[in-house]
Coordinates of all heavy atoms in Angstrom, one line a residue:
Y1 N -34.5 -34.3 -18.8 CA -34.2 -34.0 -20.1 C -35.5 -33.6 -20.9 O -35.4 -32.9 -21.9 CB -33.4 -35.0 -20.8 CG -32.0 -35.2 -20.4 CD1 -31.6 -36.3 -19.7 CD2 -31.1 -34.2 -20.6 CE1 -30.3 -36.4 -19.3 CE2 -29.8 -34.3 -20.2 CZ -29.4 -35.4 -19.5 OH -28.1 -35.6 -19.1
F2 N -36.5 -34.3 -20.6 CA -37.7 -34.2 -21.4 C -38.8 -33.3 -20.8 O -39.9 -33.4 -21.3 CB -38.3 -35.6 -21.7 CG -37.3 -36.5 -22.4 CD1 -36.6 -37.5 -21.6 CD2 -36.9 -36.3 -23.7 CE1 -35.7 -38.3 -22.3 CE2 -36.0 -37.1 -24.3 CZ -35.3 -38.1 -23.6
Q3 N -38.4 -32.5 -19.8 CA -39.4 -31.5 -19.3 C -39.5 -30.3 -20.2 O -38.6 -29.8 -20.7 CB -39.0 -31.1 -17.9 CG -39.0 -32.2 -16.9 CD -38.5 -31.8 -15.5 OE1 -38.1 -30.7 -15.3 NE2 -38.6 -32.7 -14.5
K4 N -40.7 -29.8 -20.3 CA -41.0 -28.7 -21.1 C -40.6 -27.4 -20.4 O -40.9 -27.3 -19.2 CB -42.4 -28.6 -21.6 CG -42.8 -29.8 -22.5 CD -44.1 -29.6 -23.2 CE -44.3 -30.8 -24.1 NZ -45.0 -30.5 -25.2
V5 N -40.1 -26.4 -21.1 CA -39.7 -25.2 -20.5 C -41.0 -24.3 -20.4 O -41.6 -24.1 -21.5 CB -38.6 -24.5 -21.3 CG1 -38.3 -23.1 -20.7 CG2 -37.4 -25.4 -21.3
P6 N -41.4 -23.8 -19.3 CA -42.6 -23.0 -19.2 C -42.4 -21.7 -20.0 O -41.3 -21.1 -20.1 CB -42.8 -22.7 -17.7 CG -41.5 -23.0 -17.1 CD -40.8 -23.9 -17.9
A7 N -43.5 -21.1 -20.5 CA -43.4 -19.9 -21.3 C -43.1 -18.7 -20.4 O -42.4 -17.7 -20.8 CB -44.7 -19.7 -22.1
E8 N -43.5 -18.8 -19.2 CA -43.3 -17.7 -18.2 C -42.6 -18.2 -17.0 O -43.0 -19.3 -16.5 CB -44.7 -17.1 -17.9 CG -44.6 -15.6 -17.6 CD -46.0 -15.0 -17.4 OE1 -46.7 -14.9 -18.4 OE2 -46.3 -14.8 -16.2
A9 N -41.6 -17.5 -16.5 CA -40.9 -18.0 -15.3 C -41.8 -17.8 -14.1 O -42.4 -16.8 -13.9 CB -39.6 -17.2 -15.1
P10 N -41.8 -18.8 -13.2 CA -42.6 -18.7 -12.0 C -42.0 -17.7 -11.0 O -40.8 -17.5 -11.0 CB -42.6 -20.1 -11.4 CG -41.4 -20.7 -12.0 CD -41.1 -20.1 -13.3
Q11 N -42.8 -17.1 -10.2 CA -42.3 -16.2 -9.2 C -41.7 -17.0 -8.0 O -42.3 -17.9 -7.5 CB -43.5 -15.4 -8.6 CG -44.1 -14.4 -9.6 CD -43.0 -13.3 -9.9 OE1 -42.2 -12.9 -9.1 NE2 -43.1 -12.7 -11.1
L12 N -40.5 -16.7 -7.7 CA -39.8 -17.4 -6.7 C -39.8 -16.6 -5.4 O -39.8 -15.4 -5.4 CB -38.3 -17.6 -7.1 CG -38.1 -18.5 -8.3 CD1 -36.6 -18.5 -8.7 CD2 -38.7 -19.9 -8.2
E13 N -39.7 -17.3 -4.3 CA -39.6 -16.6 -3.0 C -38.2 -16.2 -2.8 O -37.3 -17.0 -2.8 CB -40.0 -17.6 -1.9 CG -40.1 -17.0 -0.5 CD -40.5 -18.0 0.6 OE1 -41.1 -18.9 0.3 OE2 -40.1 -17.7 1.7
L14 N -38.0 -14.8 -2.7 CA -36.6 -14.3 -2.7 C -36.0 -14.3 -1.3 O -34.8 -14.1 -1.2 CB -36.6 -12.9 -3.3 CG -37.1 -12.8 -4.8 CD1 -37.1 -11.4 -5.3 CD2 -36.2 -13.6 -5.6
K15 N -36.8 -14.3 -0.3 CA -36.3 -14.3 1.1 C -36.1 -15.7 1.6 O -37.0 -16.5 1.7 CB -37.2 -13.5 2.0 CG -36.7 -13.5 3.4 CD -37.3 -12.3 4.2 CE -36.8 -12.4 5.6 NZ -35.9 -11.4 6.0
A16 N -34.8 -16.1 1.8 CA -34.5 -17.4 2.3 C -34.8 -17.4 3.8 O -34.5 -16.5 4.5 CB -33.1 -17.7 2.0
N17 N -35.3 -18.5 4.3 CA -35.5 -18.6 5.7 C -34.6 -19.6 6.4 O -34.8 -20.0 7.5 CB -37.0 -19.0 5.9 CG -37.4 -20.3 5.2 OD1 -36.5 -20.9 4.5 ND2 -38.6 -20.7 5.2
Y18 N -33.6 -20.1 5.7 CA -32.6 -21.0 6.3 C -31.2 -20.7 5.7 O -31.1 -20.2 4.6 CB -33.0 -22.4 6.1 CG -33.0 -22.8 4.6 CD1 -31.9 -23.3 3.9 CD2 -34.2 -22.6 3.9 CE1 -32.0 -23.6 2.6 CE2 -34.3 -23.0 2.5 CZ -33.1 -23.5 1.9 OH -33.2 -23.8 0.6
G19 N -30.2 -21.0 6.4 CA -28.8 -20.9 5.9 C -28.2 -19.5 5.8 O -27.1 -19.4 5.4
L20 N -28.9 -18.5 6.3 CA -28.4 -17.1 6.2 C -28.3 -16.6 7.6 O -29.1 -17.0 8.5 CB -29.3 -16.2 5.4 CG -29.3 -16.6 3.9 CD1 -30.3 -15.7 3.2 CD2 -28.0 -16.5 3.3
V21 N -27.4 -15.7 7.8 CA -27.2 -15.1 9.1 C -27.5 -13.6 9.0 O -27.3 -13.0 8.0 CB -25.7 -15.2 9.5 CG1 -25.4 -14.6 10.9 CG2 -25.3 -16.7 9.5
E22 N -28.1 -13.1 10.0 CA -28.5 -11.7 10.1 C -27.2 -10.9 10.2 O -26.3 -11.2 11.0 CB -29.4 -11.3 11.3 CG -30.8 -11.9 11.1 CD -31.6 -11.3 10.0 OE1 -31.4 -10.1 9.8 OE2 -32.3 -12.0 9.3
P23 N -27.0 -9.8 9.4 CA -25.8 -9.0 9.5 C -25.7 -8.2 10.8 O -26.7 -7.7 11.3 CB -25.9 -8.0 8.3 CG -27.3 -8.0 8.0 CD -27.9 -9.3 8.4
V24 N -24.5 -8.2 11.4 CA -24.3 -7.4 12.6 C -23.7 -6.1 12.3 O -22.7 -6.0 11.6 CB -23.4 -8.2 13.6 CG1 -23.1 -7.4 14.8 CG2 -24.0 -9.6 13.9
P25 N -24.3 -5.0 12.7 CA -23.7 -3.7 12.3 C -22.4 -3.5 13.0 O -22.2 -3.9 14.2 CB -24.7 -2.7 12.8 CG -25.6 -3.4 13.8 CD -25.5 -4.8 13.5
F26 N -21.4 -3.0 12.3 CA -20.0 -2.8 12.8 C -20.0 -1.5 13.6 O -20.5 -0.4 13.2 CB -19.0 -2.7 11.7 CG -17.6 -2.4 12.2 CD1 -16.9 -3.4 12.8 CD2 -17.1 -1.2 12.0 CE1 -15.6 -3.2 13.2 CE2 -15.8 -0.9 12.5 CZ -15.1 -1.9 13.1
E27 N -19.4 -1.6 14.8 CA -19.2 -0.4 15.6 C -17.7 -0.4 16.0 O -17.2 -1.4 16.4 CB -20.1 -0.5 16.9 CG -21.6 -0.4 16.5 CD -22.4 -0.6 17.8 OE1 -21.8 -0.6 18.9 OE2 -23.6 -0.6 17.7
F28 N -17.1 0.8 16.0 CA -15.7 0.9 16.4 C -15.7 0.8 17.9 O -16.6 1.3 18.6 CB -15.2 2.3 16.0 CG -14.8 2.4 14.6 CD1 -15.6 3.1 13.7 CD2 -13.6 1.8 14.1 CE1 -15.2 3.2 12.4 CE2 -13.3 1.9 12.8 CZ -14.1 2.6 11.9
P29 N -14.7 0.1 18.5 CA -14.6 0.0 19.9 C -14.3 1.4 20.6 O -13.7 2.3 19.9 CB -13.4 -1.0 20.1 CG -12.6 -0.9 18.9 CD -13.6 -0.6 17.8
A30 N -14.6 1.5 21.8 CA -14.4 2.8 22.5 C -12.9 3.0 22.7 O -12.1 2.0 22.8 CB -15.0 2.7 23.9
L31 N -12.4 4.2 22.6 CA -11.0 4.5 22.8 C -10.6 4.3 24.2 O -11.3 4.6 25.2 CB -10.8 6.0 22.4 CG -11.0 6.3 20.9 CD1 -10.7 7.8 20.7 CD2 -10.0 5.5 20.0
N32 N -9.4 3.9 24.3 CA -8.8 3.6 25.7 C -8.4 5.0 26.3 O -8.1 5.9 25.5 CB -7.6 2.8 25.5 CG -7.1 2.2 26.9 OD1 -7.1 2.9 27.9 ND2 -6.7 1.0 26.9
T33 N -8.5 5.1 27.5 CA -8.2 6.4 28.2 C -6.7 6.7 28.1 O -6.3 7.9 28.3 CB -8.6 6.3 29.7 OG1 -7.9 5.2 30.3 CG2 -10.1 6.1 29.8
H34 N -5.8 5.8 27.8 CA -4.4 6.1 27.6 C -4.1 6.8 26.4 O -3.1 7.5 26.3 CB -3.6 4.7 27.6 CG -3.7 4.0 28.9 ND1 -2.6 3.8 29.7 CD2 -4.7 3.4 29.6 CE1 -2.9 3.2 30.8 NE2 -4.2 2.9 30.8
W35 N -5.0 6.7 25.3 CA -4.7 7.4 24.1 C -5.3 8.8 24.1 O -6.4 9.1 23.7 CB -5.4 6.6 22.9 CG -4.6 5.4 22.6 CD1 -5.0 4.1 23.0 CD2 -3.3 5.3 22.0 NE1 -4.0 3.2 22.6 CE2 -3.0 3.9 21.9 CE3 -2.5 6.2 21.4 CZ2 -1.8 3.5 21.3 CZ3 -1.3 5.7 20.8 CH2 -1.0 4.4 20.8
T36 N -4.5 9.7 24.6 CA -4.9 11.1 24.6 C -4.2 11.9 23.5 O -3.4 11.3 22.8 CB -4.5 11.8 26.0 OG1 -3.0 11.7 26.1 CG2 -5.1 11.1 27.1
A37 N -4.6 13.1 23.3 CA -4.0 13.9 22.2 C -2.5 14.1 22.5 O -1.7 14.1 21.5 CB -4.6 15.3 22.1
E38 N -2.1 14.1 23.7 CA -0.7 14.3 24.1 C 0.1 13.0 23.7 O 1.2 13.0 23.2 CB -0.6 14.5 25.6 CG 0.8 14.9 26.1 CD 0.7 15.3 27.5 OE1 0.2 16.3 27.9 OE2 1.2 14.4 28.3
T39 N -0.5 11.8 23.9 CA 0.1 10.6 23.6 C 0.3 10.4 22.1 O 1.4 10.0 21.6 CB -0.7 9.4 24.1 OG1 -1.0 9.6 25.5 CG2 0.0 8.1 24.0
V40 N -0.7 10.8 21.3 CA -0.6 10.7 19.9 C 0.4 11.6 19.3 O 1.1 11.3 18.4 CB -2.0 10.9 19.3 CG1 -2.0 10.9 17.7 CG2 -3.0 9.8 19.7
A41 N 0.5 12.8 19.9 CA 1.5 13.8 19.4 C 2.9 13.3 19.7 O 3.9 13.8 19.0 CB 1.2 15.1 20.1
A42 N 3.1 12.4 20.6 CA 4.5 12.0 20.9 C 5.0 11.1 19.8 O 6.2 10.9 19.7 CB 4.4 11.2 22.3
F43 N 4.2 10.5 19.0 CA 4.6 9.7 17.9 C 4.9 10.6 16.7 O 4.3 10.5 15.6 CB 3.5 8.7 17.5 CG 3.4 7.6 18.4 CD1 2.4 7.6 19.4 CD2 4.2 6.5 18.4 CE1 2.2 6.6 20.3 CE2 4.1 5.5 19.3 CZ 3.1 5.5 20.3
D44 N 6.0 11.4 16.8 CA 6.4 12.3 15.7 C 7.6 11.6 15.0 O 8.7 11.5 15.6 CB 6.8 13.6 16.3 CG 7.1 14.6 15.2 OD1 6.9 14.3 14.0 OD2 7.5 15.8 15.5
L45 N 7.4 11.2 13.8 CA 8.5 10.5 13.1 C 9.6 11.4 12.7 O 10.7 10.9 12.3 CB 7.9 9.8 11.9 CG 6.9 8.6 12.2 CD1 6.4 8.0 10.9 CD2 7.6 7.6 13.0
T46 N 9.4 12.7 12.7 CA 10.5 13.6 12.3 C 11.6 13.7 13.4 O 12.7 14.1 13.2 CB 10.0 15.0 12.0 OG1 9.3 15.5 13.1 CG2 9.0 14.9 10.8
K47 N 11.2 13.3 14.6 CA 12.1 13.4 15.7 C 12.9 12.1 16.0 O 13.6 12.0 17.0 CB 11.4 13.7 17.0 CG 10.7 15.1 16.9 CD 10.0 15.4 18.2 CE 9.3 16.7 18.1 NZ 8.5 17.0 19.3
R48 N 12.8 11.1 15.1 CA 13.4 9.8 15.3 C 14.9 10.0 15.1 O 15.4 10.8 14.3 CB 12.9 8.8 14.4 CG 13.2 9.0 13.0 CD 12.6 7.9 12.1 NE 13.0 8.2 10.7 CZ 12.9 7.4 9.8 NH1 12.4 6.2 10.0 NH2 13.2 7.7 8.6
P49 N 15.7 9.1 15.7 CA 17.2 9.2 15.5 C 17.5 8.7 14.1 O 16.9 7.8 13.6 CB 17.8 8.2 16.6 CG 16.6 7.3 16.9 CD 15.4 8.1 16.7
K50 N 18.5 9.3 13.5 CA 18.9 9.0 12.2 C 19.9 7.8 12.3 O 20.8 7.7 13.1 CB 19.6 10.1 11.5 CG 18.7 11.3 11.2 CD 19.3 12.3 10.4 CE 18.3 13.4 10.1 NZ 18.9 14.5 9.3
E51 N 19.7 6.8 11.4 CA 20.5 5.6 11.4 C 21.3 5.6 10.1 O 20.8 5.8 9.0 CB 19.6 4.4 11.5 CG 18.8 4.3 12.8 CD 17.9 3.1 12.8 OE1 18.0 2.3 11.9 OE2 17.0 3.1 13.6
D52 N 22.6 5.3 10.3 CA 23.5 5.1 9.1 C 23.2 3.8 8.4 O 23.6 3.6 7.3 CB 24.9 5.3 9.5 CG 25.2 6.7 9.9 OD1 24.5 7.6 9.5 OD2 26.2 6.9 10.7
T53 N 22.7 2.8 9.2 CA 22.5 1.5 8.6 C 21.3 1.4 7.6 O 21.1 0.4 7.0 CB 22.4 0.4 9.7 OG1 21.2 0.8 10.5 CG2 23.6 0.3 10.6
A54 N 20.5 2.4 7.6 CA 19.4 2.4 6.7 C 19.7 2.6 5.3 O 18.9 2.4 4.4 CB 18.4 3.5 7.2
K55 N 20.9 3.1 5.0 CA 21.3 3.3 3.6 C 21.5 1.9 2.9 O 22.1 1.0 3.5 CB 22.6 4.1 3.5 CG 22.5 5.5 4.1 CD 23.8 6.2 4.0 CE 23.7 7.6 4.6 NZ 25.0 8.3 4.6
P56 N 21.0 1.8 1.7 CA 21.2 0.5 1.0 C 22.7 0.3 0.6 O 23.4 1.2 0.2 CB 20.3 0.6 -0.2 CG 20.1 2.1 -0.4 CD 20.3 2.7 0.9
K57 N 23.1 -0.9 0.7 CA 24.5 -1.2 0.3 C 24.6 -1.4 -1.2 O 23.6 -1.8 -1.8 CB 24.9 -2.6 1.0 CG 25.0 -2.5 2.5 CD 25.4 -3.8 3.1 CE 25.4 -3.7 4.6 NZ 25.8 -5.0 5.2
P58 N 25.7 -1.0 -1.8 CA 25.8 -1.1 -3.2 C 25.8 -2.6 -3.6 O 26.3 -3.5 -2.8 CB 27.2 -0.5 -3.5 CG 27.9 -0.5 -2.3 CD 26.9 -0.4 -1.2
D59 N 25.3 -2.9 -4.8 CA 25.3 -4.3 -5.2 C 26.7 -4.8 -5.5 O 27.5 -4.1 -6.1 CB 24.4 -4.4 -6.5 CG 23.0 -4.1 -6.3 OD1 22.5 -4.2 -5.1 OD2 22.3 -3.7 -7.2
E60 N 26.9 -6.0 -5.0 CA 28.2 -6.6 -5.3 C 28.2 -7.4 -6.6 O 27.1 -7.9 -7.0 CB 28.6 -7.6 -4.1 CG 28.7 -6.8 -2.8 CD 29.1 -7.8 -1.7 OE1 29.3 -9.0 -1.9 OE2 29.1 -7.3 -0.5
E61 N 29.3 -7.6 -7.2 CA 29.4 -8.3 -8.4 C 29.2 -9.8 -8.1 O 29.8 -10.4 -7.2 CB 30.7 -8.1 -9.1 CG 30.8 -8.8 -10.5 CD 32.2 -8.6 -11.1 OE1 32.8 -7.5 -10.8 OE2 32.6 -9.4 -11.9
V62 N 28.4 -10.5 -8.9 CA 28.1 -11.9 -8.7 C 29.1 -12.7 -9.6 O 29.2 -12.5 -10.8 CB 26.6 -12.2 -9.1 CG1 26.4 -13.7 -9.0 CG2 25.7 -11.4 -8.3
K63 N 29.8 -13.5 -8.9 CA 30.8 -14.3 -9.6 C 30.2 -15.6 -10.1 O 29.4 -16.2 -9.4 CB 31.9 -14.7 -8.6 CG 32.7 -13.5 -8.1 CD 33.8 -13.9 -7.1 CE 34.5 -12.7 -6.5 NZ 35.4 -13.1 -5.5
P64 N 30.5 -16.0 -11.3 CA 29.9 -17.2 -11.9 C 30.5 -18.4 -11.2 O 31.6 -18.5 -10.8 CB 30.3 -17.2 -13.4 CG 31.5 -16.3 -13.4 CD 31.4 -15.3 -12.3
L65 N 29.6 -19.4 -11.0 CA 30.0 -20.7 -10.3 C 30.4 -21.7 -11.4 O 29.7 -21.8 -12.5 CB 28.9 -21.2 -9.5 CG 28.5 -20.4 -8.3 CD1 27.3 -21.1 -7.6 CD2 29.7 -20.4 -7.3
K66 N 31.4 -22.4 -11.1 CA 31.8 -23.5 -12.1 C 31.0 -24.7 -11.8 O 30.9 -25.2 -10.6 CB 33.3 -23.8 -11.9 CG 33.8 -24.8 -12.9 CD 35.3 -25.1 -12.7 CE 35.7 -26.2 -13.7 NZ 37.0 -26.7 -13.5
E67 N 30.3 -25.2 -12.8 CA 29.5 -26.4 -12.6 C 30.4 -27.6 -12.6 O 31.4 -27.7 -13.3 CB 28.5 -26.5 -13.8 CG 27.5 -25.4 -13.8 CD 26.4 -25.6 -14.8 OE1 26.3 -26.8 -15.3 OE2 25.7 -24.6 -15.2
P68 N 30.1 -28.6 -11.7 CA 30.9 -29.8 -11.7 C 30.8 -30.6 -12.9 O 29.7 -30.6 -13.6 CB 30.4 -30.5 -10.4 CG 29.0 -30.0 -10.3 CD 29.0 -28.6 -10.8
D69 N 31.8 -31.3 -13.3 CA 31.8 -32.1 -14.5 C 31.3 -33.5 -14.0 O 31.9 -34.3 -13.4 CB 33.2 -32.3 -15.0 CG 33.3 -33.0 -16.3 OD1 32.2 -33.0 -17.0 OD2 34.3 -33.6 -16.7
I70 N 30.0 -33.7 -14.4 CA 29.3 -34.9 -14.0 C 29.4 -35.9 -15.2 O 28.9 -35.6 -16.3 CB 27.9 -34.7 -13.6 CG1 27.9 -33.7 -12.4 CG2 27.2 -36.0 -13.2 CD1 26.5 -33.3 -12.0
K71 N 30.0 -37.1 -14.9 CA 30.1 -38.1 -16.0 C 29.1 -39.2 -15.7 O 28.9 -39.5 -14.5 CB 31.5 -38.7 -16.0 CG 32.5 -37.6 -16.4 CD 33.9 -38.2 -16.5 CE 34.9 -37.1 -16.8 NZ 36.3 -37.6 -16.8
P72 N 28.4 -39.7 -16.7 CA 27.4 -40.8 -16.4 C 28.2 -42.0 -15.9 O 29.3 -42.4 -16.3 CB 26.8 -41.1 -17.8 CG 27.6 -40.4 -18.8 CD 28.5 -39.4 -18.1
Q73 N 27.5 -42.6 -14.9 CA 28.1 -43.8 -14.3 C 27.3 -45.1 -14.7 O 26.0 -45.0 -14.8 CB 28.1 -43.7 -12.8 CG 29.0 -42.6 -12.3 CD 28.9 -42.4 -10.8 OE1 28.2 -43.2 -10.1 NE2 29.7 -41.5 -10.2
K74 N 27.9 -46.2 -14.9 CA 27.2 -47.4 -15.3 C 26.8 -48.1 -14.1 O 26.0 -49.1 -14.2 CB 28.2 -48.3 -16.1 CG 28.5 -47.6 -17.5 CD 29.4 -48.5 -18.3 CE 29.8 -47.8 -19.6 NZ 30.7 -48.6 -20.4
D75 N 27.3 -47.8 -12.9 CA 27.0 -48.5 -11.7 C 25.8 -47.9 -10.9 O 25.7 -48.2 -9.7 CB 28.2 -48.6 -10.8 CG 29.4 -49.2 -11.4 OD1 29.2 -50.1 -12.3 OD2 30.5 -48.9 -11.1
S76 N 25.0 -47.1 -11.5 CA 23.9 -46.5 -10.8 C 22.7 -47.4 -10.5 O 21.9 -47.2 -9.7 CB 23.4 -45.3 -11.6 OG 22.8 -45.8 -12.8
G77 N 22.6 -48.5 -11.2 CA 21.6 -49.5 -11.0 C 20.3 -49.2 -11.8 O 19.4 -49.9 -11.8
C78 N 20.4 -48.2 -12.6 CA 19.2 -47.8 -13.4 C 19.4 -48.5 -14.8 O 20.4 -48.4 -15.4 CB 19.2 -46.3 -13.6 SG 17.8 -45.7 -14.5
Q79 N 18.3 -49.2 -15.2 CA 18.3 -49.9 -16.5 C 17.2 -49.4 -17.3 O 16.1 -49.2 -16.9 CB 18.2 -51.4 -16.3 CG 19.4 -52.0 -15.6 CD 19.2 -53.5 -15.4 OE1 18.2 -54.0 -15.8 NE2 20.2 -54.1 -14.8
I80 N 17.5 -49.2 -18.6 CA 16.4 -48.8 -19.6 C 16.3 -50.0 -20.6 O 17.3 -50.4 -21.2 CB 16.8 -47.5 -20.3 CG1 16.9 -46.4 -19.3 CG2 15.8 -47.2 -21.4 CD1 17.4 -45.1 -20.0
S81 N 15.1 -50.5 -20.6 CA 15.0 -51.7 -21.6 C 13.8 -51.5 -22.5 O 13.0 -50.7 -22.3 CB 14.8 -53.0 -20.8 OG 13.8 -52.9 -19.9

């Protein structure tokens, strides 16, 4: 608490020599021989079969639920004093 603040900030060593890891350059993996232009062209989404189940169903009316009539019981064992 009672240390004086220096008028000029001291020069700090900016390069840390512990606790840091050298960055590893990212490289994409080599392509597999199975992925040819012919294979990629086979993934044409316009040629997929049409499904009737993909249509969204209309929203159904939500029926209200009747809440049970809960009456306080004296035999619950809970006491407020």
Side-chain angles (χ1 to χ4, degrees):
Y1 288 113
F2 302 105
Q3 294 179 354
K4 295 191 179 213
V5 178
E8 212 173 285
Q11 291 292 333
L12 299 175
E13 185 180 333
L14 297 178
K15 179 155 174 109
N17 54 6
Y18 61 91
L20 296 177
V21 182
E22 292 292 323
V24 178
F26 177 75
E27 296 177 5
F28 284 103
L31 293 177
N32 194 320
T33 56
H34 294 246
W35 289 102
T36 61
E38 191 175 286
T39 308
V40 174
F43 286 99
D44 189 5
L45 294 178
T46 59
K47 296 180 182 178
R48 68 180 181 166
K50 293 185 179 181
E51 299 176 11
D52 294 333
T53 58
K55 295 179 183 176
K57 295 180 180 179
D59 292 336
E60 296 179 6
E61 183 180 334
V62 178
K63 298 178 183 176
L65 292 175
K66 182 179 178 187
E67 294 186 17
D69 187 23
I70 300 176
K71 297 179 181 175
Q73 298 177 357
K74 295 180 182 177
D75 300 333
S76 66
C78 182
Q79 295 180 357
I80 299 175
S81 53

